[in-house]
Amino acid sequence: MGNPVSIRKLPSGVPGLDDVLGGGIPELSFNLIVGSPGCGKTTLGQQIMFANATPERKALFFSVLGEPPVKMLRYQQQFEFFDDAKVQSAIRFVHLGEESLSGGIESVLARIIEEVDSTNPAFVFVDSFRSVVRMTLSEASGELALQGAMQRLALHLTSCGATTFLLGEYRDDEHDDVIFTVADGVVRLFQSIERNSMVRKLQVMKIRGQAQIPGLHTVRIVNAGLNVFPRLPKPEELTPQPFEDRRLGSGIAGLDEMLGGGIPAGYS
């Protein structure tokens, strides 16, 4: 076989997340960011977007049935990662409320493809795609229609050279087989109340082509945005400690020699 294709890894802009992902976000990948309402999906998506979008490598952010862009931006601009200079010059916000209500997934898909073809973005975000999924699955042939639409969307965006993120509201035990199968990466956010504190966690459920740090990782939302605290150190940070073979004398003639110099220190 020839040399393997090199996959460029993009920085997420989120402290700790690149380590959990196994080095960063694979370029041209098709990703899901899922979780319950209020867990930080939109903030995570926009933090990644502002960290990577430039006038030369633009980003498109589609909002579907959620809050309109003007309301969303009002709150997101409170975070330090928000860069007002990038809005319009490097980032464009498009609301798809009318398409999702009037034509469902086909209208949403057609508008996304139209905007992508005219803008040629390097990054595409759709928030929240879950609302269109629910409407599609309620139809008689919904699952088949959803599967076809998702495959066309993933193929078109990848062929256009876009790294894509679909943001959706899913309960901790909930998933859509069609979307999760098509996705190259799946990041799930959790939140729960423990005593008087809100505890947030992140899990990389799937990421193709690289090894993530498994398990749940603590997340905090601060003025700078999300911070991820990996539950395990990176492999290169695990330096082996020198072994010290220390022996204790037993005080019994001949026993120390039989034990190789005495009783190993620290043994019970």
Side-chain angles (χ1 to χ4, degrees), residues 33-36 39-41 44 172 187-190 201-202:
I33 299 176
V34 301
S36 60
C39 65
K41 299 183 300 297
L44 175 58
D172 294 349
V187 175
R188 186 182 284 275
L189 293 167
F190 303 86
K201 299 286 185 179
L202 176 146

Side-chain angles (χ1 to χ4, degrees), residues 2 4 8-9 11 60 76 98 102 104 107 109 118 122 124 136 147-148 174 176 192 199 207 223 236 240:
R8 180 186 174 198
K9 298 179 182 180
L60 274 176
Q76 290 298 314
E98 183 176 345
S102 61
S107 292
L109 181 60
S118 62
V124 174
T136 306
Q147 182 176 359
E174 186 182 23
D176 290 310
S192 61
V199 177
I207 186 162
N223 290 338
E236 58 268 25

Side-chain angles (χ1 to χ4, degrees), residues 19-206:
D19 295 334
V20 173
L21 291 171
I25 302 166
E27 190 175 31
L28 308 184
S29 57
F30 191 80
N31 305 282
L32 300 181
I33 299 176
V34 301
S36 60
C39 65
K41 299 183 300 297
T42 298
T43 301
L44 175 58
Q46 294 214 8
Q47 195 168 349
I48 294 172
M49 179 175 66
F50 276 95
N52 286 279
T54 65
E56 296 75 31
R57 292 171 55 80
K58 298 181 185 294
L60 274 176
F61 193 99
F62 295 97
S63 57
V64 186
L65 281 180
E67 54 193 5
V70 63
K71 182 180 179 182
M72 177 179 56
L73 292 177
R74 177 184 178 190
Y75 293 104
Q76 290 298 314
Q77 67 181 348
Q78 306 303 317
F79 289 107
E80 294 175 5
F81 66 75
F82 190 93
D83 185 354
D84 188 63
K86 287 191 174 184
V87 178
Q88 298 304 326
S89 66
I91 298 170
R92 182 161 177 252
F93 292 89
V94 180
H95 189 49
L96 301 177
E98 183 176 345
E99 286 81 1
S100 61
L101 289 174
S102 61
I105 195 167
E106 288 300 329
S107 292
V108 169
L109 181 60
R111 180 70 187 282
I112 291 175
I113 291 176
E114 177 187 346
E115 293 287 345
V116 167
D117 289 345
S118 62
T119 308
N120 193 28
F123 307 95
V124 174
F125 296 79
V126 184
D127 184 14
S128 162
F129 200 81
R130 175 65 165 158
S131 54
V132 184
V133 169
R134 286 197 182 101
M135 289 190 296
T136 306
L137 291 176
S138 65
E139 301 170 0
S141 58
E143 188 167 350
L144 188 60
L146 177 62
Q147 182 176 359
M150 290 305 303
Q151 289 177 344
R152 296 201 312 273
L153 179 63
L155 179 61
H156 189 83
L157 292 175
T158 303
S159 63
C160 290
T163 305
T164 306
F165 299 85
L166 303 187
L167 285 59
E169 294 181 356
Y170 289 84
R171 298 190 306 270
D172 294 349
D173 59 345
E174 186 182 23
H175 68 278
D176 290 310
D177 290 337
V178 173
I179 302 179
F180 279 61
T181 300
V182 172
D184 300 311
V186 180
V187 175
R188 186 182 284 275
L189 293 167
F190 303 86
Q191 63 179 358
S192 61
I193 301 294
E194 293 186 8
R195 297 185 179 180
N196 294 324
S197 300
M198 172 67 76
V199 177
R200 290 184 170 91
K201 299 286 185 179
L202 176 146
Q203 179 187 15
V204 180
M205 300 177 62
K206 172 185 180 181

